[in-house]
Every structure is written in C-alpha cells, then in structure tokens.
Amino acid sequence: MTSLHPRALVAAFLVGATAVQAQDTTQKGVRIGLTYERGVRPRVAVLPFAGQHGDSLRVMIGRDLDFSDRIEVEPAAAIGAYEAASGGGTRPPNYGLWKTLGAAAVIQGTANGTGVTVSIHDVARARVAETREFALSGPATGEEWRMAVHGVSDEIERWITGTRGAAQSRILYVRNRQVYVIDSDGAGERALTQGATALSPSWHPSGRYIAYSTFGARGTEIHVRDLRDGTSRRLATASGLNITPEWSPDGQSIAYAHGQENGADLVLAAAFGDGAGARRITVGKGTDNTSPSFSPDGRRLAFTSGRSGHPEVYIADTDGANAELLTPFQFGRPSYRSSPSWSPDGRVVAFQTRGDGEFQVATIALRDRSMKQLTSEGANEDPSWAPDGRHLVFTSSRSGVKQLWILDLETGRSRQLTRSSGGARLAAWSRILGSSP
C-alpha cells in the first residue's frame, strides 16, 4: 500500500491536451436580440468612456469581455480609427459602419463621481438595447472599485450572451510559501499571510474567509483568516499533519487531511466552533487520503487516496460511505492521479495525472467516466474551477518558472495569470464576489 510519511507529504506541497467538450452555456435569442451559433463569438466594440477614469473603465471592461472567451472584442486600433473618423464623444455610434465591420454590439459609457452609466447598442437593429447606471464604491482604481467594475463587465456579458461572466472573482495561490490573492484579470496581487510557511489555501463561499495550512508548534495546523478585519485563528485540530483544507458549500464546515505516523485520513470539522465533534471521514488503514473537494450540493467529496497501491481519485459521501474509485485503475501501468476539483455544475472532476512523464491536467465525467487530457506543454498541476464552469486555473512550467495559467475549456485558449519572481502554485478560484470581501 502506498503511504507517505507526514514530513514527506508536507515536502510534496513545498516542492512543487486537447480541448474538453464544451458545456452548453450560450443561449440563443438573448436580451439584445443577438443570435449566433454555438462556438461563434459575437464581435463587440467597447468605445472610450467619457468622464473621470473613463480610460481605466474602458480598458478593464474590454479586457474582462476578452478574457470571458465568449466575446470577440474589437482591437484598440479599430476603435481608434473609428473615433478619428466619427469625432468620438457620446453621440450614437455609426451603426452602418459597425455593421459593415462585423460588430454585433457597441458599448458606450460615462463615468461620474459615484458610478458609471453604460449603454449597449444592438448594431443590427440600430438601437440602444440596454442602459443602466452602476455604483462604483471605494476609492477610484482601488480594490473595491476594481471589483465593482468587474461586476459591470459580468452584467454586460449577460446582456450580450445570456450568461453572466466570472470576472468578479479572485484567485488564491501560494508564492514564496505565503498565501497571495489576485483578481481574475491578473491585477491586484497582494499577500494575505506573512511569517510561517502557508500552504493549500481555500475560499469560504462568501469570499470573506480563507482557510490554509501552516506550520505550528504541534505540527501543521489549519488556520482561518477573516479578510474583512484581518484576524486569524487556528482551527482546533489534533497534533500532527493537518493539510489541504476545503470549505463545504454552505460555509459551515471544513474538510482536511489529518495524519500521524501511519497515513492520513480526511476529517470534517465545524469551521466556526471550538473544534469539538470533528469526525473522521475516511479509514485509510495506513494509506494517505488528502485533497478533498466537495460536490456543489455538498453531499459528496472527491479526494486523493493511495489505497489502490498508488494515488488515484476517489469519491465518497461526506460521511465516508459509498466510497468508490473515480479514475480508472490500470494494473501494471504507472499512474499518479491527485488534486481533484469538482466542477460547479457537478458533472466533471478536474485533476492532475502523471504516467511516464510530467503531470498534466485532465477531467473525468461523472456520468460515463470518460477522461480528457487538457494540457501537454510543460508540467501542469493543481487545477481549480472558475465559477463559470468553463475555465480552469492551474500551475504550469511552460514559461520556465511555475506560474498560474487559465484555460478556457471550450476554445482551448490559455493565458498566463501570474508572473511572480518566486513562482506560483496551489491556486483556488473563488465564487462570484461582491465589490468587497
């Protein structure tokens, strides 16, 4: 049976394709009347915004729409040429010209001291399809203000495609043995911990709290940090190994791996209590059971276990019952499958897999157990789902140093998220957040 000594498990955390079948997230006959075939992205022009910080608003919204991978944003050169020819301003756009250029919609906006008014024009019908005023709280271009702008982008995406975007979210990760956070567009990077080594961060569903593992006097410990007031506390855990915390979908419990000298098992504890009543979920009998990931309804867990002789992904009820092997066991062939992440729609589990070569990111469907490898360039590890269910963030060595990359499963497009000198790994993508934690 495969089992790692607790120190080896900690060391493993310290050291560090083809496109998947698309989820049908687009809709026909959407709010502004656009109709387009699945896989065809409508072209949208984001014109310069009037008012203070208008340039920042236009750049952020255009970038968010581009990163959604559902919309093709007109390049800046085309916008500049149009502005030079039309004289710019807030006058209605030249519908005939934009129709000739192939744009389906045009976005205009005007910023004021407390918010921004956004209009979207349906080019085919030559009319304003929607106008709304959005509040932008916090100091201009600050963290809260930026998160509010991401929310504007997500609503514009819903106007155009019928599906809300996921720009209003953040990603946790580990850099230089500390937990950092970054916006989904790669801006706003900042450290959330300092001092002792921090590992495997996880988001509370509300975005207000994070949980992570760190070294303490009694081994590794699970800590909970309140991002609103900056306070931290230790979750009452037994001494020894305590790693890979994961919040339940209702935010009331935390599942994590606990071990002594002979393997590790998953434990479920109340997140905000005194730690009393924590119960063991798995019975590993000398093997290691780590990296829990809840199903969206909170009824099941995917996790890594070595009970078959080498690490594979298993699923079980949250009380430990009905455990079953998820990833197919291939006798006599080397394999290592771990770090599962359950998709927001509950249909797919992403994980890292290694055969004879380096780790790659793959998915497995719950219904028919079909597997798809998503990456092939460099080593690719530790996937985490975006709240839109079509993007994954993961660690990749393809740029030379391990950094975070984002993959769109429908188009196969990938983009680099971090460029940290110390590298980045162990990412966790939040749900949709408000303007502030």
Side-chain angles (χ1 to χ4, degrees), residues 245-271:
E246 180 75 5
W247 293 88
S248 61
D250 65 4
Q252 298 302 306
S253 303
I254 295 177
Y256 60 94
H258 168 70
Q260 296 288 343
E261 293 298 319
N262 189 26
D265 278 306
L266 298 183
V267 174
L268 187 67

Side-chain angles (χ1 to χ4, degrees), residues 125-327:
R125 290 178 169 81
R127 64 179 178 86
V128 176
E130 184 77 45
T131 296
R132 186 175 302 179
E133 184 173 354
F134 298 88
L136 300 178
S137 56
T141 71
E143 294 173 9
E144 189 174 4
W145 186 89
R146 284 182 49 82
M147 192 54 53
V149 175
H150 289 315
V152 175
S153 302
D154 287 348
E155 180 64 9
I156 293 172
E157 185 175 336
R158 187 179 69 83
W159 290 350
I160 297 169
T161 70
T163 301
R164 190 190 193 280
Q168 199 174 27
S169 59
R170 290 188 171 116
I171 296 169
L172 298 172
Y173 65 97
V174 174
R175 167 188 167 191
N176 296 329
R177 303 187 179 185
Q178 300 299 315
V179 176
Y180 279 71
V181 67
I182 193 169
D183 289 1
S184 62
D185 64 351
E189 180 186 49
R190 69 185 191 279
L192 297 179
T193 65
Q194 58 182 351
T197 294
L199 300 169
S200 51
S202 172
W203 285 103
H204 185 271
S206 70
R208 175 173 175 174
Y209 306 95
I210 65 170
Y212 57 95
S213 178
T214 187
F215 287 95
R218 301 159 57 247
T220 49
E221 304 170 343
I222 305 300
H223 283 226
V224 174
R225 183 175 182 85
D226 187 332
L227 299 184
R228 184 172 297 173
D229 62 21
T231 59
S232 296
R233 63 180 180 85
R234 180 177 68 84
L235 190 71
T237 55
S239 61
L241 180 78
N242 298 282
I243 57 172
T244 61
E246 180 75 5
W247 293 88
S248 61
D250 65 4
Q252 298 302 306
S253 303
I254 295 177
Y256 60 94
H258 168 70
Q260 296 288 343
E261 293 298 319
N262 189 26
D265 278 306
L266 298 183
V267 174
L268 187 67
F272 300 104
D274 59 5
R279 58 181 176 83
R280 186 169 65 173
I281 300 172
T282 62
V283 182
K285 298 180 180 180
T287 63
D288 293 312
N289 300 270
T290 64
S291 305
S293 176
F294 282 92
S295 62
D297 62 9
R299 297 178 178 178
R300 307 212 79 191
L301 280 168
F303 59 97
T304 304
S305 178
R307 64 186 67 184
S308 64
H310 57 265
E312 294 284 352
V313 177
Y314 286 73
I315 54 176
D317 297 344
T318 51
D319 62 0
N322 300 312
E324 58 178 308
L325 179 66
L326 179 62
T327 48

Side-chain angles (χ1 to χ4, degrees), residues 69-70 75 122 151 187 193 198 213-214 257 316 351 429:
D69 294 304
R70 291 190 176 101
D122 185 340
T193 65
S213 178
T214 187
F351 60 98
W429 208 320

Side-chain angles (χ1 to χ4, degrees), residues 395-413:
T395 300
S396 180
S397 66
R398 65 186 66 186
S399 63
V401 176
K402 287 187 176 181
Q403 302 287 355
L404 300 187
W405 287 70
I406 291 175
L407 173 69
D408 173 39
L409 276 68
E410 184 166 318
T411 65
R413 177 193 183 192

Side-chain angles (χ1 to χ4, degrees), residues 7-26:
R7 291 185 181 276
L9 269 176
V10 173
F13 278 92
L14 289 173
V15 182
T18 57
V20 75
Q21 181 174 335
Q23 300 178 51
D24 193 3
T25 55
T26 58

